[in-house]
Amino acid sequence: MRSVDEGTPVDEAGGSATAPWRALEAAVAAFVLVAACAVIVYAVWSRNRGFEITDEAYYLLLAIHPAETRFYISAQQWATAPIWQLTGSLASFRMAGLVLLAGSAAVLGMGALAAARGLATPGRPPMSGRVAVIGGAVVCALLYAITINVSPSYNLLASAGAYLALGLVLLAGGKTSTVSRTALFGVAGVALAVEFVCKPSSGVATFVLVAVAVLWLDRSGGRKTVALATVVAGGSLGLAALLFSQSTPGEAVQAFSGGMALFRMVQSEPIFTRLARYAIEFGGYAADAMRANVFLIVAVLVYLIRTSRVTIALVIAAVGQTLLATRYFEYGMPQYIEYMQRALVFLALMLAVLWQAMPVRFRGLISVLALLPYTVAMGTGNALFGQVIISLASWGALMALAAYARPSASRDAAVPMAILVGFVALTSAQILVYKAKIPYNLNERMDRQSFPATIGPLGRVKVDAETVRFMQQVDAAVAKCRIAPGAPFLGLYNVPGLALALNAVPIDTPWLNNVAQADAVLSSNEAIVGNAVLAIRLNADASLPPLPVALKGFSANFEHCGDAVFPHEQQKIQIWSGLSRR
């Protein structure tokens, strides 16, 4: 039998704790802790490296110039603007994102542990298990860093908000003090408000999952009602605070209306069509995952049929083969899909080994942790199967919790620990190899982003040699046309980062993707056009892209300040300044 107080396996013949299993658990926990420290060190090291001019530049501009943004579908700037005001540089802003991700993941891990103690669990995880649960959550949270650097943005804050909300709700379930419970549920509501503001579809989906967790935690109907009401009240107060600190209800409605109009110009997929696509894609990717990992799946099935040293060794060998077969130097969605296929198989096999012996209510906790990444990813235009890679902290907590709180009926520790080690090794390797990979929308590996450059409001940033030349070209254009900081900016198209390089302020929205969007923005800003700085990304044949009506024949009213070539895809960008600025 398992000792409930100690939370460690016991020898059924003699009743004493089995030292080999205890040593194995300690060794695996040490491995997870080292992995967590390693990925944190990587994120700190990369905090001031790399400058890209699309996605992250958009997030930065929203945080730096929230009042000037009049069209948006995510009010992320309500949450990110205060963070920028506190940090004031790119490196510090990214550090704030790292702290939010790792800190909220740690809270989620602690919440999962608290909830496990309050359930009819197989046993309380030992100290090594607690370290592994929190460390695993942190490792998986920082998978975000393989998609883009950790600047606070709608995706990062949606993930952190979900982790914090669920973690606090799980922590509250173990409290007897009314004051403590109320505070934890209220702050969980605030975290959900941040998630909703940044990504409304995620906020709604996560609230439903959190409500399920609240209803499952408390057996008393009255306590459930009060708990849910407190979460809703906290969310309402948080939403009001975010809104009134940065805008007004009327301005927000107008901004969302205008933002949705611009959004529909690039994405028009109906909601139910998107949900159906999610299901079809998930089924296809899951089937591919089974085919690609058949050796590991068969090895675990053989172990479940007949447990022996030979079948345990077979599972360990299969885990090793899976790690060696992974293509760590893939890029973009193909990398995310392959990782998620292997991660899903590891998760399914861990549950296959342990599920039958888990108490029913413990299965509920495991199910909530398994579903959380999908609530955060809900609404994405990408494949849902791969998008969850940005919000996977709960899987790290789940895997460690299952491995360390395993029932005595689950035979032994070797196979669950092997699966956990394989999962953590696979995940941390995905992050750590990024030092030698080319980051998102850049042209050189991260370890070659080593030359200092001063970039507008971002301060000193380490970039590659070609980006240094790009900034020299931009600075020459600024000097030629005497472009002053804070000039109105229009980027045509998909070049919001030029506003940062020029230290300019976008007109109404930082990101324009096409001429229809530009026409919509300029229709109410024609008087400003003559004062604006233009950054025009040329076509591959060096011709001008389609221009908005307000800029037809623009060369007569603008001075050509110079050209700059951004190294990623050798994007040639012309910089022009309105003559009426003189």
Side-chain angles (χ1 to χ4, degrees), residues 419-471:
I419 294 172
L420 175 60
V421 167
F423 177 76
V424 173
L426 175 73
T427 304
S428 55
Q430 296 284 335
I431 302 167
L432 297 176
V433 297
Y434 251 78
K435 182 176 181 180
K437 288 181 68 172
I438 299 173
Y440 179 70
N441 279 356
L442 295 182
N443 211 46
E444 284 284 359
R445 296 168 15 168
M446 185 64 87
D447 57 2
R448 293 177 182 169
Q449 306 288 325
S450 57
F451 299 92
T454 300
I455 302 175
L458 306 184
R460 299 280 280 184
V461 182
K462 291 184 178 180
V463 298
D464 58 78
E466 288 188 74
T467 302
V468 170
R469 285 192 287 274
F470 165 77
M471 284 306 305

Side-chain angles (χ1 to χ4, degrees), residues 84-101:
W84 178 262
Q85 291 168 4
L86 289 172
T87 55
S89 70
L90 179 60
S92 298
F93 193 61
R94 287 172 173 171
M95 277 299 296
L98 169 61
V99 170
L100 288 169
L101 265 184

